[in-house]
Amino acid sequence: MDHNKRKQFRRYLHHSGVINSLTSALVALYEESDKPDDAMNFVTNHLSAQLSEALSSEKTELQRRCERLTEENKELRSKLLQYETPPEERAAE
């Protein structure tokens, strides 16, 4: 692999968060006072926990967005009804 490709690959890993995630998992393993028998399993579990946390965060954010959009939709439908109702019916209200 030439130097340029290697540099691009490192940049890709850095921007996608892979470097930070792996570093975090390896630091956690290093700081573990009782080293696990299966280091690969430890790292896999650590990465899975990070992913789960990220997905949970994203889910919460999406739920809030859905609530906001649902409320906005209600408001817009209400406004639309005002324009769809014939003027004589609006005067009777």
Side-chain angles (χ1 to χ4, degrees):
M1 187 181 274
D2 72 344
H3 180 70
N4 239 1
K5 281 188 177 182
R6 206 174 330 175
K7 194 173 182 178
Q8 286 178 340
F9 187 66
R10 282 186 189 150
R11 214 174 303 130
Y12 162 73
L13 292 176
H14 178 72
H15 288 298
S16 63
V18 172
I19 299 292
N20 288 339
S21 292
L22 286 173
T23 300
S24 173
L26 293 173
V27 167
L29 178 59
Y30 176 80
E31 291 175 346
E32 211 39 50
S33 57
D34 296 326
K35 301 292 184 232
D37 293 331
D38 188 353
M40 182 62 88
N41 192 37
F42 179 90
V43 170
T44 301
N45 288 339
H46 189 81
L47 291 173
S48 294
Q50 286 179 340
L51 178 60
S52 177
E53 188 177 308
L55 289 174
S56 178
S57 229
E58 183 179 3
K59 177 186 172 196
T60 301
E61 180 184 326
L62 289 172
Q63 285 174 327
R64 285 188 193 130
R65 183 174 180 213
C66 183
E67 289 169 5
R68 273 195 326 270
L69 291 172
T70 300
E71 188 59 36
E72 182 181 344
N73 185 293
K74 279 183 187 177
E75 291 171 12
L76 291 172
R77 284 177 180 273
S78 175
K79 287 179 182 179
L80 182 62
L81 279 176
Q82 291 175 352
Y83 295 104
E84 288 180 343
T85 307
E88 58 277 357
E89 286 183 29
R90 276 187 284 189
E93 293 175 354

